[in-house]
Amino acid sequence: MTDPRSQEISVIVVDDQPLVRMGNSLVLDTAEDIHVVGEAASGEQAIALTALLAPDVVLMDVRMPGMGGLEATRHITRTQPDTRVIVLTTFDLDEYAFGALKAGASAFLLKSTTPTALTEAVRIVAAGDAVVEPRITRQLIDAYSGQRYSEPGQHPGQPSQLSDLTPREFDIFLAIGSGLSNPEITNELNLSSATVKTHINRIFSKLQLRDRVQAVILAYELGLVGRDPIG
């Protein structure tokens, strides 16, 4: 008989504040399909515990004494590719937010998020998707939209790095980069949900992107943020 606990999502909670750490652990442990297997108070402890327990998800605080969440996230995503990291922070636009996502985090949430939203984020990330709260996505876009460049002779519409994308895939890539959710893309481009998902999977495969977060970051880096995604 299969052990029900083997089907649970294993989580390590990392925060230097004991009450916050305990609170998040209690919230997650109330879900039948989630089990907190360990807690850590620093980046160093998080790395050691992740190597020992190989959890599905690490809930990572950003600001901690010693090694912070950014460096710990980078190390964990590099050495434990099957473990996903959710970055949790107090601030709407923490100065480490973009760096944490570039370090490989699959989600970026505020500590003011609801218990229901936190639990659902763990499920989504464990399933291989990514989560960034919409208002954070918009703020990141505003913060980094000025980082644009153009190459001599390059077509102004589609950067050469995206040349393998079809026109429709390019439209959807721009929509993702602009922070639109799948339902919003479906409505804006008048496509079915299944078609949008198929296109997104092909985009990720062609561009060798792990998830939605990496797609958003690439859009920032290519200077596409701020353009109308619906062409």
Side-chain angles (χ1 to χ4, degrees), residues 111-177:
K111 287 187 176 180
S112 59
T113 195
T114 66
T116 299
L118 177 60
T119 302
E120 186 60 22
V122 169
R123 294 190 181 107
I124 292 172
V125 166
D129 208 339
V131 181
V132 181
E133 288 188 4
R135 70 174 179 271
I136 296 178
T137 300
R138 298 296 182 181
Q139 288 173 315
L140 285 170
I141 287 172
D142 290 342
Y144 291 92
S145 60
Q147 299 180 3
R148 302 190 173 109
Y149 65 86
S150 60
E151 299 174 2
Q154 179 177 302
H155 189 280
Q158 184 163 334
S160 60
Q161 291 92 330
L162 307 180
S163 60
D164 288 341
L165 300 184
T166 67
R168 177 56 76 197
E169 288 168 351
F170 180 61
D171 286 343
I172 293 175
F173 176 78
L174 285 180
I176 294 172

Side-chain angles (χ1 to χ4, degrees), residues 4 49 58 66 75 92 129 141 144 152-153 162 209:
L49 207 55
V58 174
H75 182 92
D92 277 11
D129 208 339
I141 287 172
Y144 291 92
L162 307 180
L209 301 173

Side-chain angles (χ1 to χ4, degrees), residues 5 12-13 15 19 50 55 88 92 108 126 132 134 155 167 204 224:
R5 295 185 73 84
I12 289 176
V13 176
D15 199 294
L19 287 179
T50 299
L88 206 60
D92 277 11
F108 187 89
V132 181
H155 189 280
F204 288 174
L224 297 174

Side-chain angles (χ1 to χ4, degrees), residues 7-210:
Q7 306 302 315
E8 291 179 328
I9 300 168
S10 57
V11 180
I12 289 176
V13 176
V14 185
D15 199 294
D16 64 316
Q17 299 182 45
L19 287 179
V20 173
R21 195 168 63 245
M22 181 184 300
N24 287 333
S25 295
L26 289 173
V27 165
L28 294 176
D29 258 339
T30 60
E32 293 184 356
D33 58 336
I34 299 174
H35 179 49
V36 176
V37 296
E39 297 182 8
S42 68
E44 293 90 345
Q45 289 181 14
I47 290 172
L49 207 55
T50 299
L52 178 65
L53 301 176
D56 298 309
V57 177
V58 174
L59 185 62
M60 181 75 72
D61 186 21
V62 172
R63 297 171 180 265
M64 296 179 288
M67 180 185 291
L70 174 57
E71 187 176 350
T73 295
R74 183 183 297 110
H75 182 92
I76 289 171
T77 57
R78 185 178 67 247
T79 60
Q80 305 288 332
D82 292 332
T83 295
R84 298 284 179 142
V85 178
I86 297 176
V87 169
L88 206 60
T89 183
T90 304
F91 307 98
D92 277 11
L93 186 59
D94 191 281
E95 63 258 36
Y96 296 118
F98 192 72
L101 296 177
K102 289 199 70 174
S106 295
F108 187 89
L109 300 174
L110 299 177
K111 287 187 176 180
S112 59
T113 195
T114 66
T116 299
L118 177 60
T119 302
E120 186 60 22
V122 169
R123 294 190 181 107
I124 292 172
V125 166
D129 208 339
V131 181
V132 181
E133 288 188 4
R135 70 174 179 271
I136 296 178
T137 300
R138 298 296 182 181
Q139 288 173 315
L140 285 170
I141 287 172
D142 290 342
Y144 291 92
S145 60
Q147 299 180 3
R148 302 190 173 109
Y149 65 86
S150 60
E151 299 174 2
Q154 179 177 302
H155 189 280
Q158 184 163 334
S160 60
Q161 291 92 330
L162 307 180
S163 60
D164 288 341
L165 300 184
T166 67
R168 177 56 76 197
E169 288 168 351
F170 180 61
D171 286 343
I172 293 175
F173 176 78
L174 285 180
I176 294 172
S178 297
L180 298 188
S181 64
N182 281 19
E184 289 172 331
I185 296 173
T186 296
N187 292 333
E188 292 290 345
L189 293 177
N190 195 27
L191 298 171
S192 70
S193 175
T195 298
V196 169
K197 289 180 180 178
T198 297
H199 280 306
I200 290 176
N201 288 336
R202 289 174 179 168
I203 291 168
F204 288 174
S205 177
K206 287 182 178 181
L207 300 180
Q208 297 183 333
L209 301 173
R210 185 183 63 250

